[in-house]
Amino acid sequence: GNSVTQMEGPVTLSEEAFLTINCTYTATGYPSLFWYVQYPGEGLQLLLKATKADDKGSNKGFEATYRKETTSFHLEKGSVQVSDSAVYFCALSAGGQGFSFIFGKGTRLLVKP
Amino acid sequence: DVKVTQSSRYLVKRTGEKVFLECVQDMDHENMFWYRQDPGLGLRLIYFSYDVKMKEKGDIPEGYSVSREKKERFSLILESASTNQTSMYLCASSSTDSYNEQFFGPGTRLTVL
């Protein structure tokens, strides 16, 4: 079946450090891949997405590239800010009617000044 | 701006009470979802609906039911609340195109005493 595995947190970084959060997936066919972010006390917001191999999603300085050969979609940011502290979820959609949407367990990021 | 709204941000109920959580979306989406989010467990799908009056069980439907009488509204019902249903409840919606991106509401934090 389809699955998403992402690195466990928490990840603690100093401001302006480089961020990588690893995400790998297992899926049949050609899934779409997503990163969502959840700030404290809020629901999930879409951060970026990629719908086919070699696509790069980007938003707010975050990037992730859809790597079919390694079945990965790692999230990166060159210089994190305190305001990036949140929980990040990797997810895939294997198409169909939407109920094949699979989330990873989330990675908490804490950025210290 | 697209929107998914949930009826309450915080709710406190007593064991045995019947609890209704309401979710409304204004995007004319076909699919709607209810998740619960618990520390260390990520998001778990309770129920979803891909059309009015249609519903499908997710991963953890026990103790819950749902209702979808109108396209924009999806209700989660706890027939007899129990303390192990204390959790954050998230509603989401998606269309059958747009690569099935899900849009989330702000969440309802339910405490059952």
Side-chain angles (χ1 to χ4, degrees):
Chain A
N2 300 331
S3 67
V4 173
T5 302
Q6 61 181 107
M7 61 190 290
E8 290 189 25
V11 173
T12 303
L13 295 173
S14 298
E15 208 165 21
E16 300 185 0
F18 185 86
L19 168 72
T20 301
I21 300 178
N22 291 336
C23 172
T24 57
Y25 68 90
T26 303
T28 54
Y30 302 95
S32 296
L33 300 173
F34 306 86
W35 276 102
Y36 281 82
V37 59
Q38 184 179 34
Y39 298 104
E42 299 183 12
L44 277 69
Q45 304 173 24
L46 180 67
L47 181 59
L48 53 84
K49 65 182 180 184
T51 58
K52 61 182 187 295
D54 300 324
D55 267 3
K56 178 185 281 188
S58 62
N59 186 25
K60 299 181 181 180
F62 290 89
E63 293 183 340
T65 301
Y66 188 162
R67 302 279 188 206
K68 191 166 176 60
E69 64 277 12
T70 54
T71 61
S72 65
F73 192 55
H74 304 322
L75 182 69
E76 295 181 337
K77 186 176 185 183
S79 176
V80 294
Q81 305 301 311
V82 172
S83 57
D84 293 326
S85 297
V87 181
Y88 293 82
F89 291 89
C90 185
L92 71 81
S93 171
Q97 291 182 307
F99 47 84
S100 54
F101 213 98
I102 308 294
F103 286 92
K105 292 196 172 180
T107 302
R108 182 175 299 278
L109 170 66
L110 177 60
V111 180
K112 296 186 173 180
Chain B
D1 199 16
V2 296
K3 217 165 204 179
V4 178
T5 56
Q6 295 184 227
S7 50
S8 305
R9 293 297 301 272
Y10 300 93
L11 208 52
V12 179
K13 296 291 182 181
R14 298 216 173 266
T15 301
E17 281 192 80
K18 191 169 186 176
V19 181
F20 293 87
L21 302 183
E22 304 284 340
C23 175
V24 177
Q25 50 96 2
D26 66 359
M27 295 166 279
D28 201 36
H29 282 167
E30 294 82 6
N31 305 318
M32 296 188 75
F33 308 82
W34 276 106
Y35 296 90
R36 65 176 281 177
Q37 183 180 17
D38 301 287
L41 299 177
L43 274 72
R44 292 182 290 168
L45 182 64
I46 305 171
Y47 269 97
F48 63 93
S49 168
Y50 53 88
D51 201 354
V52 176
K53 296 192 186 295
M54 305 302 289
K55 60 185 179 184
E56 295 285 344
K57 293 179 179 179
D59 300 319
I60 52 163
E62 296 79 17
Y64 304 94
S65 62
V66 291
S67 171
R68 193 165 180 203
E69 296 296 319
K70 294 185 177 181
K71 190 175 186 180
E72 68 270 18
R73 188 180 298 269
F74 191 36
S75 301
L76 179 70
I77 303 155
L78 287 65
E79 295 288 343
S80 178
S82 63
T83 54
N84 63 11
Q85 292 178 309
T86 292
S87 186
M88 169 72 93
Y89 290 88
L90 295 168
C91 176
S93 71
S94 72
S95 68
T96 50
D97 51 23
S98 298
Y99 307 102
N100 299 116
E101 172 189 340
Q102 294 199 358
F103 295 84
F104 281 83
T108 296
R109 183 163 294 283
L110 172 67
T111 301
V112 182
L113 301 176

